[in-house]
């Protein structure tokens, strides 16, 4: 990680923000710099992530930590592992089944979130992504409650985190095809990695292979 940002949101409003470049302690790959426009020169004098730990721990005290693809992001932030976590990507997958993809910027375009929400940041920079995620969260929470989701933070966090069987795969060769029609060999391939980088794909493969074995 070469940049980090955090926002405290209460009642749907940001009440505090923090952002910083981060020195990763190694060279930044060229493909990564091409995405976020951050170079080795930019982070040369930036703090290491460890130096930001106290600030981030304090900001997240007594909070539900929200991150887009939380399992990936929190892999860099083990000191927040004790906090309850809500993955805004998983939430969006639950309430926006027709979205073309569930990337942060893809959802921004799909939901028509105004470019002004980026503030002085840009897409793929940490603060811009945090600002977009806060808007995605607000929209998806409203839809979640409208669809009958529990108006209880603890129950919601648990429900969104729980693995679930998908009715169709949202990626790959068999994207959009009903799970029952996906070839067994492809499901076996997915099942080799039950912790697939795409949420619930491996779990869905397990469920369908078990159903076929019992059929």
């Amino acid at each position: 990680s070469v940049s980090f940002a955090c926002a405290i949101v209460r009642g749907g409003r940001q009440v505090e923000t923090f952002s910083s470049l981060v020195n990763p302690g190694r060279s930044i790959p060229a493909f990564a710099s091409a995405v976020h426009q951050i170079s080795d020169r930019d982070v040369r004098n930036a703090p290491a992530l460890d130096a930001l730990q106290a600030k981030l721990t304090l900001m997240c005290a007594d909070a539900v930590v929200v991150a887009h693809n939380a399992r990936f992001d929190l892999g860099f932030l083990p000191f927040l592992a004790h906090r309850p976590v809500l993955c805004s990507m998983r939430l969006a997958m639950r309430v926006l089944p027709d979205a073309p993809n569930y990337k942060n910027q893809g959802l921004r375009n799909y939901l028509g979130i105004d470019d002004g929400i980026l503030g002085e940041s840009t897409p793929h920079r940490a603060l811009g992504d945090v600002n977009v995620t806060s808007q995605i969260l607000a929209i998806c929470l409203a839809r979640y409650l409208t669809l009958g989701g529990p108006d209880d933070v603890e129950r919601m966090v648990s429900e969104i985190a729980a693995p679930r069987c998908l009715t169709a795969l949202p990626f790959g060769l068999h994207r959009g095809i009903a799970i029952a029609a996906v070839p067994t060999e492809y499901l076996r391939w997915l099942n080799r990695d039950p912790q697939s980088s795409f949420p619930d794909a491996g779990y869905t493969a397990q469920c369908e292979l078990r159903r076929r074995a019992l059929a």
Side-chain angles (χ1 to χ4, degrees), residues 24-161:
R26 56 190 176 89
S27 295
I28 301 172
F31 72 87
S33 289
V35 172
H36 49 55
Q37 300 298 306
I38 298 174
S39 68
D40 290 334
R41 177 180 298 178
D42 295 323
V43 301
R44 182 177 300 155
N45 297 316
L49 185 58
D50 288 349
L52 302 176
Q53 178 173 334
K55 169 69 174 179
L56 302 177
T57 300
L58 181 62
M59 286 188 71
C60 295
D62 301 320
V64 174
V65 176
V66 178
H68 206 70
N69 194 359
R71 188 176 65 179
F72 177 82
D73 283 356
L74 292 180
F76 298 97
L77 307 168
F79 51 86
L80 297 180
H82 65 290
R83 300 301 314 153
V85 176
L86 176 66
C87 179
S88 54
M89 184 171 75
R90 290 183 66 86
L91 177 61
M93 291 172 63
R94 184 71 61 90
V95 302
L96 302 172
D98 297 325
N101 67 69
Y102 295 95
K103 296 177 181 179
N104 187 280
Q105 296 302 318
L107 288 172
R108 176 172 71 91
N109 293 330
Y110 177 71
L111 295 172
I113 296 172
D114 191 88
D115 288 350
I117 195 61
L118 296 173
E120 296 180 359
S121 188
T122 58
H124 306 298
R125 286 289 185 103
L127 184 57
D129 284 350
V130 164
N131 290 340
V132 171
T133 296
S134 67
Q135 293 297 303
I136 292 171
L137 175 66
I139 294 169
C140 288
L141 278 179
R143 297 195 183 190
Y144 179 75
L145 295 174
T146 298
L147 291 170
D151 190 7
D152 178 277
V153 172
E154 186 174 335
R155 286 178 59 199
M156 179 185 65
V157 167
S158 178
E159 179 180 309
I160 297 302

Side-chain angles (χ1 to χ4, degrees), residues 12-13 20 25 63 73 84 117 128 132 156 162 164 174 183 204:
R13 295 179 59 251
S20 175
D73 283 356
I117 195 61
V132 171
M156 179 185 65
R164 66 191 184 102
H174 302 287
T204 297

